[in-house]
Coordinates of all heavy atoms in Angstrom, one line a residue:
D2 N 0.8 -1.2 0.0 CA 0.0 0.0 0.0 C 0.8 1.3 0.0 O 0.3 2.4 -0.2 CB -0.9 0.0 1.2 CG -1.9 -1.1 1.2 OD1 -2.4 -1.4 0.1 OD2 -2.2 -1.7 2.3
M3 N 2.1 1.1 0.3 CA 3.0 2.3 0.2 C 3.3 2.7 -1.2 O 3.1 1.9 -2.1 CB 4.3 2.0 1.0 CG 4.1 1.7 2.4 SD 5.7 1.1 3.3 CE 6.7 2.6 3.1
T4 N 3.8 3.9 -1.4 CA 4.2 4.3 -2.8 C 5.7 4.2 -2.9 O 6.5 4.1 -1.9 CB 3.8 5.7 -3.1 OG1 4.6 6.6 -2.3 CG2 2.4 6.0 -2.8
L5 N 6.2 4.1 -4.1 CA 7.7 4.0 -4.3 C 8.4 5.3 -3.9 O 9.5 5.3 -3.4 CB 8.0 3.8 -5.8 CG 7.6 2.4 -6.3 CD1 7.9 2.3 -7.8 CD2 8.3 1.3 -5.6
A6 N 7.7 6.4 -4.0 CA 8.2 7.7 -3.5 C 8.4 7.6 -2.0 O 9.4 8.1 -1.4 CB 7.3 8.9 -3.9
D7 N 7.4 7.1 -1.3 CA 7.5 6.9 0.2 C 8.7 6.0 0.6 O 9.4 6.2 1.5 CB 6.2 6.3 0.8 CG 5.1 7.3 0.7 OD1 5.4 8.5 0.7 OD2 3.9 6.9 0.7
V8 N 8.8 4.9 -0.2 CA 9.9 4.0 0.0 C 11.3 4.6 -0.1 O 12.1 4.5 0.8 CB 9.8 2.8 -0.9 CG1 11.1 1.9 -0.8 CG2 8.6 1.9 -0.6
V9 N 11.5 5.4 -1.2 CA 12.8 6.0 -1.4 C 13.1 7.1 -0.3 O 14.2 7.3 0.1 CB 12.9 6.6 -2.8 CG1 14.1 7.4 -3.0 CG2 12.9 5.4 -3.8
K10 N 12.0 7.8 0.1 CA 12.2 8.8 1.1 C 12.6 8.2 2.4 O 13.5 8.7 3.1 CB 10.8 9.5 1.4 CG 11.0 10.8 2.2 CD 9.7 11.5 2.2 CE 9.8 12.8 3.1 NZ 8.5 13.6 3.1
E11 N 12.1 7.0 2.8 CA 12.5 6.3 4.0 C 13.7 5.4 3.9 O 14.5 5.2 4.8 CB 11.3 5.5 4.5 CG 10.1 6.3 5.0 CD 10.4 7.3 6.1 OE1 11.2 6.9 7.0 OE2 10.0 8.4 6.0
H12 N 13.9 4.9 2.6 CA 15.0 3.9 2.4 C 15.7 4.3 1.1 O 15.6 3.7 0.1 CB 14.5 2.5 2.3 CG 13.7 2.1 3.4 ND1 14.2 1.7 4.6 CD2 12.3 1.9 3.6 CE1 13.3 1.3 5.5 NE2 12.1 1.5 4.9
P13 N 16.5 5.4 1.1 CA 17.2 5.9 -0.1 C 18.1 4.8 -0.8 O 18.4 4.9 -2.0 CB 18.0 7.1 0.3 CG 17.3 7.6 1.6 CD 16.8 6.3 2.2
N14 N 18.6 3.9 0.0 CA 19.5 2.8 -0.5 C 18.7 1.8 -1.4 O 19.3 0.9 -2.0 CB 20.2 2.1 0.6 CG 19.3 1.4 1.6 OD1 18.2 2.0 1.9 ND2 19.6 0.3 2.1
T15 N 17.4 2.0 -1.6 CA 16.7 1.1 -2.6 C 16.7 1.7 -4.0 O 16.2 1.1 -4.9 CB 15.2 1.0 -2.1 OG1 14.6 2.3 -2.1 CG2 15.1 0.3 -0.8
I16 N 17.3 2.9 -4.2 CA 17.3 3.5 -5.5 C 17.9 2.6 -6.5 O 17.4 2.4 -7.6 CB 18.0 4.9 -5.4 CG1 17.1 5.9 -4.7 CG2 18.3 5.4 -6.8 CD1 17.7 7.3 -4.6
G17 N 19.1 2.0 -6.2 CA 19.8 1.1 -7.2 C 18.9 0.0 -7.6 O 18.8 -0.4 -8.7
F18 N 18.2 -0.6 -6.6 CA 17.3 -1.8 -6.9 C 16.2 -1.3 -7.8 O 15.9 -2.0 -8.8 CB 16.8 -2.3 -5.6 CG 15.7 -3.4 -5.7 CD1 16.0 -4.7 -6.1 CD2 14.4 -3.0 -5.5 CE1 15.0 -5.6 -6.3 CE2 13.4 -4.0 -5.7 CZ 13.7 -5.3 -6.0
L19 N 15.6 -0.2 -7.5 CA 14.5 0.3 -8.4 C 14.9 0.7 -9.7 O 14.2 0.4 -10.7 CB 13.8 1.5 -7.7 CG 13.1 1.1 -6.3 CD1 12.6 2.4 -5.7 CD2 12.0 0.1 -6.5
N20 N 16.1 1.3 -9.8 CA 16.6 1.7 -11.1 C 16.9 0.4 -12.0 O 16.7 0.4 -13.2 CB 18.0 2.4 -11.0 CG 17.8 3.9 -10.6 OD1 16.6 4.4 -10.7 ND2 18.8 4.5 -10.1
G21 N 17.3 -0.6 -11.3 CA 17.6 -1.9 -12.1 C 16.3 -2.5 -12.7 O 16.4 -3.2 -13.7
L22 N 15.2 -2.2 -12.1 CA 13.9 -2.7 -12.6 C 13.2 -1.6 -13.4 O 12.1 -1.8 -13.9 CB 13.0 -3.1 -11.5 CG 13.5 -4.3 -10.7 CD1 12.6 -4.6 -9.5 CD2 13.5 -5.6 -11.5
H23 N 13.8 -0.5 -13.6 CA 13.3 0.7 -14.3 C 11.9 1.1 -13.8 O 11.0 1.4 -14.6 CB 13.2 0.3 -15.8 CG 14.4 -0.2 -16.4 ND1 15.6 0.5 -16.5 CD2 14.8 -1.5 -16.8 CE1 16.6 -0.2 -17.0 NE2 16.1 -1.5 -17.2
L24 N 11.8 1.1 -12.5 CA 10.6 1.6 -11.8 C 10.7 3.0 -11.4 O 11.7 3.5 -10.9 CB 10.3 0.7 -10.6 CG 9.8 -0.7 -10.9 CD1 9.9 -1.6 -9.6 CD2 8.3 -0.6 -11.3
D25 N 9.7 3.8 -11.7 CA 9.7 5.2 -11.6 C 9.3 5.6 -10.1 O 8.2 5.4 -9.7 CB 8.7 5.9 -12.5 CG 8.7 7.4 -12.5 OD1 9.4 8.0 -11.6 OD2 7.9 8.0 -13.3
Y26 N 10.3 6.1 -9.4 CA 10.0 6.5 -8.0 C 9.9 8.1 -7.9 O 9.7 8.6 -6.8 CB 11.1 6.0 -7.0 CG 12.5 6.5 -7.4 CD1 13.0 7.7 -7.0 CD2 13.3 5.7 -8.2 CE1 14.2 8.2 -7.3 CE2 14.6 6.1 -8.5 CZ 15.1 7.4 -8.1 OH 16.3 7.8 -8.5
C27 N 10.1 8.8 -9.0 CA 10.1 10.3 -8.8 C 8.9 10.9 -9.5 O 7.9 11.2 -8.8 CB 11.4 10.9 -9.4 SG 11.7 10.4 -11.1
C28 N 8.8 10.9 -10.8 CA 7.7 11.6 -11.5 C 6.4 10.8 -11.3 O 5.3 11.3 -10.9 CB 7.9 11.7 -13.0 SG 9.4 12.6 -13.4
G29 N 6.5 9.5 -11.5 CA 5.3 8.6 -11.4 C 5.3 7.7 -10.2 O 4.7 6.6 -10.2
G30 N 5.9 8.2 -9.1 CA 6.1 7.3 -8.0 C 5.1 7.4 -6.9 O 5.3 7.0 -5.8
H31 N 3.9 7.9 -7.2 CA 2.9 8.1 -6.2 C 1.7 7.2 -6.3 O 0.7 7.4 -5.6 CB 2.4 9.6 -6.3 CG 3.6 10.5 -6.1 ND1 4.1 10.8 -4.8 CD2 4.3 11.3 -6.9 CE1 5.1 11.6 -4.9 NE2 5.2 12.0 -6.2
D32 N 1.8 6.1 -7.1 CA 0.8 5.1 -7.1 C 1.2 4.0 -6.0 O 2.4 3.8 -5.8 CB 0.7 4.4 -8.4 CG 0.1 5.3 -9.5 OD1 -0.8 6.1 -9.1 OD2 0.4 5.1 -10.7
P33 N 0.3 3.3 -5.4 CA 0.6 2.2 -4.5 C 1.5 1.2 -5.2 O 1.3 1.0 -6.4 CB -0.8 1.7 -4.1 CG -1.7 2.8 -4.3 CD -1.2 3.5 -5.5
I34 N 2.4 0.6 -4.5 CA 3.3 -0.4 -5.0 C 2.6 -1.4 -5.8 O 3.0 -1.9 -6.8 CB 4.2 -1.0 -3.9 CG1 5.2 0.1 -3.4 CG2 4.9 -2.2 -4.4 CD1 6.1 -0.4 -2.3
E35 N 1.5 -1.9 -5.2 CA 0.7 -3.0 -5.8 C 0.4 -2.7 -7.2 O 0.4 -3.5 -8.1 CB -0.5 -3.3 -5.0 CG -1.3 -4.5 -5.5 CD -2.5 -4.8 -4.6 OE1 -2.9 -4.0 -3.8 OE2 -3.0 -6.0 -4.7
I36 N -0.1 -1.4 -7.5 CA -0.5 -1.0 -8.8 C 0.8 -0.8 -9.7 O 0.8 -1.3 -10.8 CB -1.3 0.3 -8.7 CG1 -2.6 0.0 -8.0 CG2 -1.5 0.9 -10.1 CD1 -3.4 1.3 -7.8
A37 N 1.8 -0.1 -9.2 CA 3.0 0.2 -10.0 C 3.7 -1.0 -10.5 O 4.1 -1.1 -11.6 CB 3.9 1.1 -9.2

């Protein structure tokens, strides 16, 4: 239920993992993880 933007804000060290999957945590990072 969290968003990717929330995740990166709390756990910045996940950026590399998300980049590797090409998941958008900045512009489009406000949808719930389940949807994204």
